[in-house]
Every structure is written in C-alpha cells, then in structure tokens.
Amino acid sequence: MTFSAQWLALREPYDQSARSVIVLDQVAAAFAGRPEISVVDLGCGTGSTLRSVGPRLPARQRWRLVDNDLGLLAHASALARPPDLLIEARTIDLVRDLELALDGALDLISTSALLDLVSADWLERLAVEAAARRLPIYAALTYQGKATLDPAEPFDLEIVAAVNRHQRRDKGFGDALGPEAGVCAVRAFERVGYSVVSGSSDWEFAPDDRAIQLEVLSGWVAAAAELGGLPQGAIDAWLARRRTLVAAGRSSMRVGHVDIFATAIR
C-alpha cells in the first residue's frame, strides 16, 4: 500500500511532536561520538524519519531510503545535502525483498508508521534479519488501537472498534498486526536477543487542528464502511456530528502510538 504526499505532509508536524523523546535520546546516545552513520529507512515516504531523527545523529550521514512509490522517493531524495548527507533512494518491494533492503554496510534500521501494517510473519522476518546483522532498530509511530475523542459522542466506541478490525486486514504483507503491533514487536525483538526501550508517541490534536482531525475522521469512516457490519446511516450521522464539533473548534483527539528502539544485547 502507499500514501499520498499530501497526507504525509499533513501528518508530519504531528508525527514530529509525538515522537518519544525518551526513545530518541536512546537512539542519539547509541551513536554519540561517532563521525558518521549509515541508515536504512523502510517505507520512507517523503523522508519524515530523516527530517526528525537526522539532527540527533552524527554529522555525516548516508541514508538508504526505501519505498515502493517513486513519487514519494523523489520528494525524499531532494533532502540530500552532499557531502554530509548522502541519499540512496531505492524502490524495493519489502514483502519480497526485505533482505535486499538490508544488504550492505549499515548501522541502523529505521521505520515509521509501518509495523502496524505488517503481518506477524513479516515482523519475525525483520527481527531475524536484523539480529543476523546485529543492527539496532528504531521503529516509530506504531498505532496502538486506542483513541480518545473529546467531547465524547454516541457511536465513538463502535467506530474505533471498526477501525481496529480494519487495521488487522491485509495491507500488502498478509493479515496485519494492527493494534497489537507494538507489543508483538517488543516480543519479536526480545526473542532474538535484543533489549527494547519503548515510549508513548500519541498523536494529540487540539481544537484548532481542524484539517488533520477531519482527515482522520474521514479515514475512519471509510474504513468502517469498507469493513461493513455497522449501519451506514449511523456512520454518516456520527461523522456529521463530529464534523460539526470540529468546525466549531470544540473537538480534540488523542490517538495512541508507540515508539521503540531495539538493540542487540552484547
């Protein structure tokens, strides 16, 4: 699956604010004092992870940006600033060719908003391949299945539950882990002998954050409708009520995510 550059641009400021400082500090400390670093970013989109994490890493950086969308890769490639920031953009099918993405000299695997889309088998494969190379992994913004909307409205719980069921459907990697991805990732990395640090990275939308709220609500409704099982009239009425609250500046939202940093135990 892929995402539009417009959606990625809309969410990026909230992603940046949400990223766990505790986890980012651990990533920075792991590479402190080194003159350079080589990173592979899986599912890079337009380069949000590079923009967020790059300033905390050694000054000289080489990033291998991996995505299946050439348009997004073009955006990300424009971030290159030789000689200190070098970028290699690669179109790779991570389902088929994960090992190719990890080939060569690397110091860190990074990814954002990916692990909740993958299957248990693929996550296990990532853990095994990382462990074989003894590469640390920074995985950010994994959806946890929890959402709080204020003020509460009838049908909130039903919509969020439907979204979570939809999150478990195949997103291209097999049946997705969805809300269980964070817990499953910690277990998978610990099984291969890694130590894991985790931290909350919840999205927080204030009443003035109307555009992102409307986009998220629309996405949730589309997921619930595609899944079936809920009356369409009830879905439409819920969306109308929530849009009215957003327009009036009376709506806020919190959507649960988690960041992790996994390192091989020496």
Side-chain angles (χ1 to χ4, degrees):
M1 65 184 303
T2 189
F3 299 95
S4 72
Q6 292 80 9
W7 162 243
L8 296 178
L10 178 62
R11 66 173 286 174
E12 182 165 344
Y14 303 98
D15 287 346
Q16 288 185 336
S17 297
R19 288 177 187 268
S20 169
V21 174
I22 292 172
V23 176
L24 282 171
D25 285 346
Q26 290 293 314
V27 175
F31 299 99
R34 295 183 51 167
E36 59 186 13
I37 187 172
S38 181
V39 186
V40 58
D41 189 36
L42 306 179
C44 68
T46 61
S48 178
T49 303
L50 190 163
R51 284 187 289 270
S52 297
V53 183
R56 290 175 169 265
L57 297 177
R60 293 182 63 85
Q61 302 173 21
R62 181 183 297 273
W63 286 73
R64 178 183 300 164
L65 300 181
V66 176
D67 206 285
N68 64 353
D69 187 308
L70 287 172
L72 298 182
L73 279 174
H75 282 281
S77 297
L79 297 173
R81 297 291 182 271
D84 290 332
L85 176 56
L86 303 179
I87 289 178
E88 173 194 7
R90 299 183 67 174
T91 309
I92 294 177
D93 181 347
L94 290 174
V95 178
R96 186 186 64 217
D97 295 322
L98 172 62
E99 296 78 9
L100 179 61
L102 303 180
D103 188 42
L106 293 168
D107 301 306
L108 173 66
I109 300 170
S110 70
T111 189
S112 297
L114 176 67
L115 296 189
D116 47 273
L117 305 179
V118 307
S119 66
D121 287 344
W122 191 91
L123 177 61
E124 189 70 28
R125 185 174 155 205
L126 173 63
V128 169
E129 292 296 333
R133 297 162 174 80
R134 297 188 66 80
L135 290 174
I137 301 174
Y138 169 64
L141 301 164
T142 299
Y143 176 64
Q144 287 199 294
K146 300 176 182 179
T148 304
L149 297 89
D150 186 31
E153 276 286 321
F155 221 59
D156 287 351
L157 295 180
E158 289 85 349
I159 291 291
V160 173
V163 169
N164 288 339
R165 290 194 298 273
H166 190 278
Q167 283 290 107
R168 297 181 178 95
R169 301 179 79 180
D170 188 349
K171 303 298 189 297
F173 295 81
D175 290 343
L177 290 166
E180 287 77 42
V183 171
C184 290
V186 171
R187 292 173 179 167
F189 295 133
E190 288 180 342
R191 279 197 298 270
V192 295
Y194 274 40
S195 173
V196 181
V197 175
S198 63
S200 173
S201 55
D202 294 354
W203 274 346
E204 295 187 45
F205 305 146
D208 287 340
D209 298 321
R210 291 179 176 87
I212 187 75
Q213 289 198 49
L214 290 173
E215 193 67 23
V216 170
L217 293 172
S218 295
W220 286 0
V221 162
E226 181 181 332
L227 191 66
L230 295 178
Q232 189 62 48
I235 294 174
D236 293 342
W238 177 85
L239 180 59
R241 293 195 304 272
R242 295 241 62 110
R243 281 176 168 169
T244 298
L245 290 169
V246 172
R250 295 180 52 216
S251 174
S252 60
M253 297 174 63
R254 186 183 187 100
V255 183
H257 294 84
V258 65
D259 294 353
I260 65 172
F261 182 50
T263 53
I265 300 173
R266 289 178 171 81

